[in-house]
Amino acid sequence: MYRYDEYDHAFVAERVAQFRDQVKRRLAGEITEDEFKPLRLQNGLYLQLHAYMLRIAIPYGTLSSKQMRTLAHIARRYDRGYGHFTTRQNLQFNWIKLEDAPDALADLAKAEMHAIQTSGNCIRNTTADHWAGVAIDEIEDPRIWCEIIRQWSTVHPEFSFLPRKFKIAVTGSPNDRAAVRVHDIGLRMLRDENGEPGFEVIVGGGLGRTPMIGKTIRPFLPKQHLLSYLEAILRVYNRYGRRDNIYKARIKILVHEIGAEEMRRQVEEEWEGLRDGALDLPADVVAGIGRHFAPPRYQPQPTIATETERLRFENRDFALWLRSNVVAHRQPGHAIVNLSLKPEGGPPGDASAAQMDAVADLADAYSCGEIRVTHEQNLVLPHVAVADLPAVWRGLTLIGFATPNLGLVSDIIACPGLDYCALANARAIPVAQRISQHFADLARQHDIGELKIKISGCINACGHHHVGHIGILGVDKNGTEFYQITLGGHAGDDVSLGSILGPAVPADQVVEAIDSLVRTYLAVRQDGERFLDTYRRVGNTPFKERLYATA
Amino acid sequence: MAKNLTGTLQIVTANRLRDGSVVFLTQTAEWTSDIRRAAVARDGEAATRLLGIGTVAAAESRVVDPYLTAVTGEGDDIMPVSLRERIRAQGLTFAAISADATRYL
């Protein structure tokens, strides 16, 4: 894992001290809210419905057990004892007091964490494949490049006041697990004809009120040019991105308005002046950062993990969990364990301080002290020996994180919604809770198969509803919550945006509506088809007919 | 979700600066977390006056972003008109997990 050097430590400590003084002056009335607001937002502190919300960056979703314990400590000491893992692989605390925020940030800094650039019109936390470094299909660990991007983009003077926020996602595998086509910039690693790794550069994707699929402006970029090429893209965006209308300020609108070809031309032109310069990192610098992400020293493992095999045959719950939550690892004798933060009836992505501590303990005992956060609001123990799977499963069962529902109908993404968020139009969490309770029967969930439901409480789409196989968008109709349903969205390689099924349904009919959609799928699916496959074959019509006939 | 749907009865609400908590302006120009103690304006003039008091409190850095919002009833019967404001006044609409809990519910 990346460790702060002296520069990082000094920079974050300085920022905490600076913010402490700003908070002190604000509380003393020496600066106004208008003056203070941009300062607190630069430190990840929002004012939401009930309290301040602190959004903590978890760079590329990688956490050490020590950092997880720090998050648990902050939850206990400064919050109401729990936090919310987000679709940006970050963690949000919902009940922070302004007067406590500097202390919370100081405690975070001790664990090499901060909340800088988790808000504002700057380059946000770079996200990555949550199986980085352990996935069998991976070319190279994308976190090396995420870390390089983090260092380049942190308080980058030229890009601190962009037209709008800017999000970059990187996948180190040809199979996209980082939703790279719905980010401002998506980077997908692949090899050229000589076998050299590089990046496909995708620009102008995004969700929000105007969802767009990103366009490839360079099919292959040798990786040593990454920063100069990113700088060229950001310069073009910074120069031409619209600042007159907040709703048209993201790079996706620029790419849409001038076209991908013109965007490519401008970026390449800008890049000519930047390439082979100071931003092209020397190989030894890249190698130095790469060493932080070297695989841990795995212990030799027996060819057959007897206890694991025995339990698989004897215990149906364990077998189900292996099937849905455990994934093959590139190191023989090891496995990737996905923790479900979607217990039946629970708020998606929430974890208590006790759960965070328990995950940290399990990581220390069984996963080389390492944890990942996924953009689907779950956690990962990335380095578990197959022989340890029974112990890990028992440990996760005790804390409620072993629900065998990964990628299934109850593994729902939901934004905080109207229960917390000042922007929301409707609630998201209670809708997710009711759907997961309705589909509580795990055998049925496994029969239904892969089905990703994503819920946003407003058009800003933090719940990624546009790329849900079933997307649910909360809308406010004259003060009453309604939910618009979209079908057919998907965030993988074969990305697609959902299409609206019909009129929005009232809050009390959402579960019934989802049930109708699932029944339609079960009735018309062919052998081996997932929900998305069936939808792509038959389209909206059968779903629509059944739903609105019964509604 | 609308903050201030129209209605005859209105109150002033804001977030307290130091902790962000939801507060309501009382008859005695204090800020309370108990909506039942909120001062209720019965007409436009009274509402403007109340909001003026709130704005002064914001300028004095006691609260952030004071605004008027419509309610029905008064005292024990008071209820904000919009769902957003009901959630602000009454809290989450689901049970959050507690610090020591290892299971939800």
Side-chain angles (χ1 to χ4, degrees):
Chain A
M1 283 192 50
Y2 182 75
R3 298 299 312 266
Y4 278 14
D5 61 16
E6 282 175 32
Y7 173 82
D8 295 315
H9 276 293
F11 164 68
V12 174
E14 201 174 281
R15 184 56 99 76
V16 172
Q18 192 182 51
F19 188 56
R20 191 182 290 285
D21 183 59
Q22 289 161 348
V23 170
K24 193 173 132 199
R25 285 187 287 146
R26 176 68 187 117
L27 289 171
E30 292 167 19
I31 49 176
T32 66
E33 186 62 18
D34 285 347
E35 289 165 328
F36 180 65
K37 190 176 174 183
L39 302 174
R40 69 167 158 77
L41 289 176
Q42 281 170 21
N43 292 285
L45 197 66
Y46 288 73
L47 182 55
Q48 295 284 39
L49 290 191
H50 312 279
Y52 291 93
M53 179 271 278
L54 181 64
R55 180 182 294 154
I56 294 161
I58 300 176
Y60 31 89
T62 295
L63 275 176
S64 68
S65 53
K66 181 187 170 188
Q67 289 172 322
M68 186 64 105
R69 285 194 190 91
T70 297
L71 295 174
H73 154 76
I74 289 173
R76 279 199 189 91
R77 175 136 185 206
Y78 305 108
D79 202 87
R80 291 195 180 173
Y82 67 98
H84 178 75
F85 289 99
T86 76
T87 53
R88 295 275 312 144
Q89 298 179 309
N90 289 327
L91 180 82
Q92 294 181 179
F93 285 118
N94 294 301
W95 306 95
I96 297 290
K97 295 174 179 166
L98 177 60
E99 54 199 4
D100 288 342
D103 288 340
L105 290 173
D107 290 353
L108 274 179
K110 285 182 211 150
E112 305 183 1
M113 297 175 89
H114 60 68
I116 298 164
Q117 289 182 212
T118 60
S119 173
N121 295 336
C122 54
I123 301 173
R124 303 287 188 89
N125 186 33
T126 297
T127 52
D129 177 3
H130 42 266
W131 297 341
V134 293
I136 47 175
D137 58 358
E138 183 173 281
I139 297 170
E140 271 184 23
D141 194 328
R143 295 174 300 165
I144 299 165
W145 294 97
C146 293
E147 175 56 30
I148 289 169
I149 292 169
R150 186 191 73 80
Q151 295 190 17
W152 161 77
S153 64
T154 300
V155 293
H156 191 307
E158 197 177 326
F159 306 136
S160 292
F161 295 94
L162 293 166
R164 197 76 180 89
K165 58 187 167 184
F166 204 92
K167 301 174 182 177
I168 303 174
V170 190
T171 175
S173 139
N175 300 306
D176 176 17
R177 283 179 292 267
V180 294
R181 289 194 183 275
V182 286
H183 279 77
D184 295 288
I185 293 178
L187 299 168
R188 188 172 78 101
M189 192 169 268
L190 68 175
R191 292 185 192 277
D192 69 4
E193 61 274 17
N194 302 318
E196 284 300 311
F199 291 104
E200 177 185 356
V201 182
I202 301 153
V203 175
L207 300 173
R209 68 180 57 221
T210 319
M212 300 260 189
I213 292 170
K215 315 287 188 300
T216 299
I217 60 163
R218 194 167 237 280
F220 186 83
L221 178 75
K223 52 185 188 170
Q224 74 269 21
H225 294 306
L226 183 65
L227 286 191
S228 58
Y229 205 81
L230 291 181
E231 183 123 337
I233 297 170
L234 265 298
R235 279 194 174 175
V236 171
Y237 169 55
N238 207 14
R239 192 181 307 143
Y240 297 115
R242 290 182 59 172
R243 293 171 192 267
D244 62 320
N245 182 340
I246 190 175
Y247 304 123
K248 296 189 173 179
R250 295 288 287 270
I251 194 173
K252 62 190 173 188
I253 304 293
L254 177 66
V255 174
H256 181 71
E257 284 181 354
I258 68 175
E261 184 49 37
E262 174 61 13
M263 186 71 194
R264 188 197 64 77
R265 195 192 62 74
Q266 297 213 20
V267 168
E268 295 277 330
E269 192 179 293
E270 185 68 37
W271 187 48
E272 279 309 309
L274 288 168
R275 63 181 295 181
D276 304 320
L279 284 170
D280 283 11
L281 295 177
D284 62 319
V285 172
V286 178
I289 290 174
R291 278 193 288 278
H292 288 289
F293 300 97
R297 287 200 186 124
Y298 296 110
Q299 299 301 313
Q301 295 298 321
T303 328
I304 295 171
T306 322
E307 165 67 3
T308 304
E309 285 308 308
R310 189 187 60 75
L311 200 62
R312 181 207 295 268
F313 284 104
E314 288 177 3
N315 188 309
R316 193 176 150 274
D317 292 342
F318 180 67
L320 213 54
W321 177 77
L322 284 181
R323 193 168 110 189
S324 58
N325 293 30
V326 178
V327 176
H329 195 287
R330 65 190 308 152
Q331 177 73 17
H334 287 74
I336 303 170
V337 172
N338 295 283
L339 283 55
S340 168
L341 271 60
K342 319 290 176 65
E344 179 193 333
D350 279 12
S352 71
Q355 287 170 320
M356 292 183 207
D357 278 336
V359 170
D361 291 347
L362 287 168
D364 279 340
Y366 302 110
S367 180
C368 307
E370 201 177 315
I371 301 148
R372 306 289 176 77
V373 183
T374 82
H375 77 274
E376 295 187 320
Q377 299 182 289
N378 289 313
L379 296 174
V380 175
L381 292 176
H383 309 291
V384 178
V386 172
D388 291 333
L389 286 171
V392 170
W393 173 67
R394 288 187 190 102
L396 292 174
T397 302
L398 286 175
I399 59 168
F401 283 175
T403 310
N405 63 346
L406 216 82
L408 303 181
V409 64
S410 64
D411 183 9
I412 299 168
I413 289 182
C415 72
L418 189 60
D419 279 290
Y420 292 105
C421 178
L423 300 173
N425 285 322
R427 286 172 290 170
I429 292 170
V431 175
Q433 290 177 303
R434 283 192 284 128
I435 295 171
S436 84
Q437 279 162 341
H438 179 80
F439 290 100
D441 180 350
L442 283 160
R444 180 161 186 242
Q445 287 195 46
H446 279 257
D447 176 45
I448 294 165
E450 184 183 292
L451 205 183
K452 298 190 177 186
I453 298 181
K454 303 184 197 243
I455 310 173
S456 303
C458 80
I459 200 162
N460 293 303
C462 296
H464 294 184
H465 65 277
H466 299 296
V467 288
H469 300 162
I470 298 177
I472 302 176
L473 166 65
V475 293
D476 170 12
K477 283 193 180 178
N478 302 319
T480 306
E481 294 165 300
F482 275 73
Y483 293 87
Q484 191 178 74
I485 295 170
T486 50
L487 289 185
H490 186 57
D493 297 314
D494 47 346
V495 63
S496 53
L497 299 173
S499 67
I500 295 171
L501 192 60
V505 300
D508 61 1
Q509 289 172 27
V510 174
V511 173
E512 206 180 309
I514 303 306
D515 191 64
S516 158
L517 299 174
V518 170
R519 283 175 192 280
T520 304
Y521 153 66
L522 292 175
V524 302
R525 77 171 165 188
Q526 295 176 350
D527 275 355
E529 272 187 346
R530 302 165 304 163
F531 181 92
L532 185 65
D533 303 323
T534 301
Y535 173 80
R536 284 178 173 171
R537 179 172 56 80
V538 303
N540 269 357
T541 310
F543 294 98
K544 193 171 176 169
E545 280 173 357
R546 181 161 181 161
L547 176 61
Y548 293 101
T550 56
Chain B
M1 178 68 64
K3 289 207 268 199
N4 37 14
L5 296 180
T6 51
T8 327
L9 305 181
Q10 297 199 87
I11 61 171
V12 169
T13 181
N15 290 81
R16 200 190 301 275
L17 173 69
R18 65 181 160 78
D19 60 6
S21 63
V22 176
V23 285
F24 305 94
L25 186 61
T26 69
Q27 215 45 269
T28 53
E30 292 166 305
W31 294 92
T32 175
S33 55
D34 182 357
I35 192 173
R36 292 171 302 180
R37 292 183 54 214
V40 177
R42 301 182 169 282
D43 54 38
E45 198 183 318
T48 308
R49 200 167 54 241
L50 264 190
L51 185 59
I53 297 169
T55 308
V56 169
E60 290 170 350
S61 296
R62 285 188 286 146
V63 298
V64 179
D65 187 27
Y67 57 89
L68 288 162
T69 191
V71 294
T72 55
E74 221 175 325
D76 286 349
D77 298 327
I78 198 166
M79 184 61 77
V81 173
S82 85
L83 175 61
R84 180 189 199 271
E85 294 306 320
R86 288 202 292 277
I87 291 172
R88 284 183 76 248
Q90 297 168 352
L92 302 178
T93 63
F94 60 90
I97 194 163
S98 68
D100 297 328
T102 54
R103 292 293 194 132
Y104 184 72
L105 300 179

